[in-house]
Amino acid sequence: MATDFELLDAWRTGDRGAGNTLFERYFDPVCRFFSNKVHHNIDDLIQRTFLGCVEGRDRFQKQASFRTYLFAVAHNVLREYFRERRRGGERDSTSGIDTDSRDEDSPSPSSVVANHQEQRLLLEALRRIPLDYQLVLELYYWEDMAAAELAQVLGLPEGTIRSRLRRAKEALADKMASLARSPELLKTTMSDLEKWVRSLRAQIETE
């Protein structure tokens, strides 16, 4: 079986079959990456991501996995998307993405059929924290990325990533506390937070 980089190189030389294979391998995670942040133009963003991988192939030194490279490109595509939509708006100086987590086209929490109240609370809280926090949490929990991989994807020092991940977890917990309809719901969610966050991945995939 051809490796990801072999497929990428073949695609660059005009092998559409190699491109299709690579697309099929990684379509679901890339779709998931965008679908929890924007509602329209997802197909276009996915296409731009894969094309960006081909166009930027010469600049990539294979110091990371293809998956890390792919998500780094997806992150840049997302940054550009928000730049295009919110020119002149306030952006976080380190990421280029608006610190506001909500976009007028972003999916609402009710658009996901969650199986549990805990999932609904988490999803609503996740979509209401700053987007930089949302990104690092989703990649950490849903894509099982370690701090070193997150640093490569987001273009930040590993120490910064660890601090951001800690602050993101705190922000998520604070937002859930303000949104929870009952102390019991908050308690059951917080008692096994990692399980509930990871369980959302399947819900996003079936939206």
Side-chain angles (χ1 to χ4, degrees):
M1 180 182 295
T3 67
D4 294 335
F5 288 118
E6 288 172 344
L7 290 171
L8 183 61
D9 289 339
W11 190 13
R12 284 197 66 197
T13 62
D15 186 342
R16 293 187 178 181
N20 290 336
T21 300
L22 202 58
F23 187 83
E24 291 172 0
R25 282 185 186 180
Y26 289 98
F27 174 82
D28 286 345
V30 174
C31 181
R32 182 167 57 244
F33 176 84
F34 289 115
S35 65
N36 201 35
K37 300 164 191 66
V38 298
H39 189 58
H40 301 296
N41 305 315
I42 293 177
D43 288 343
D44 177 62
L45 296 177
I46 294 171
Q47 183 177 21
R48 286 163 61 180
T49 296
F50 281 96
L51 290 177
C53 286
V54 175
E55 294 169 356
R57 177 68 178 81
D58 290 336
R59 298 190 297 273
F60 186 66
Q61 302 300 317
K62 292 187 180 180
Q63 295 175 347
S65 67
F66 174 78
R67 187 185 69 141
T68 300
Y69 170 54
L70 178 66
F71 276 104
V73 174
H75 179 239
N76 288 334
V77 168
L78 185 67
R79 290 197 308 175
E80 183 59 28
Y81 171 82
F82 280 105
R83 286 196 193 99
E84 292 171 355
R85 296 190 63 84
R86 300 181 180 182
R87 292 197 183 280
E90 182 180 354
R91 292 194 299 272
D92 178 78
S93 60
T94 61
S95 70
I97 297 179
D98 290 303
T99 56
D100 182 7
S101 64
R102 303 299 293 269
D103 177 72
E104 62 267 26
D105 288 335
S106 64
S108 66
S110 61
S111 67
V112 175
V113 181
N115 292 328
H116 302 276
Q117 286 183 315
E118 291 87 352
Q119 289 177 329
R120 293 174 184 170
L121 173 61
L122 267 170
L123 187 62
E124 186 171 1
L126 187 63
R127 287 176 173 171
R128 290 179 182 272
I129 62 176
L131 186 56
D132 283 340
Y133 289 171
Q134 183 180 338
L135 282 168
V136 75
L137 286 174
E138 289 181 5
L139 292 172
Y140 177 76
Y141 284 116
W142 295 352
E143 307 305 332
D144 295 317
M145 287 193 177
E149 292 178 288
L150 290 168
Q152 292 173 329
V153 169
L154 302 178
L156 296 169
E158 189 172 334
T160 301
I161 290 296
R162 293 184 186 279
S163 297
R164 180 171 294 183
L165 187 57
R166 182 179 63 255
R167 294 196 302 270
K169 291 178 180 179
E170 292 171 352
L172 182 65
D174 289 344
K175 184 60 66 175
M176 285 194 299
S178 68
L179 293 171
R181 295 179 176 85
S182 70
E184 291 77 14
L185 175 58
L186 180 63
K187 181 179 179 179
T188 58
T189 308
M190 292 299 297
S191 66
D192 201 350
L193 180 62
E194 183 166 329
K195 183 195 83 171
W196 291 118
V197 176
R198 292 187 185 280
S199 72
L200 280 174
R201 170 177 170 164
Q203 301 303 128
I204 298 299
E205 288 176 343
T206 57
E207 271 190 291

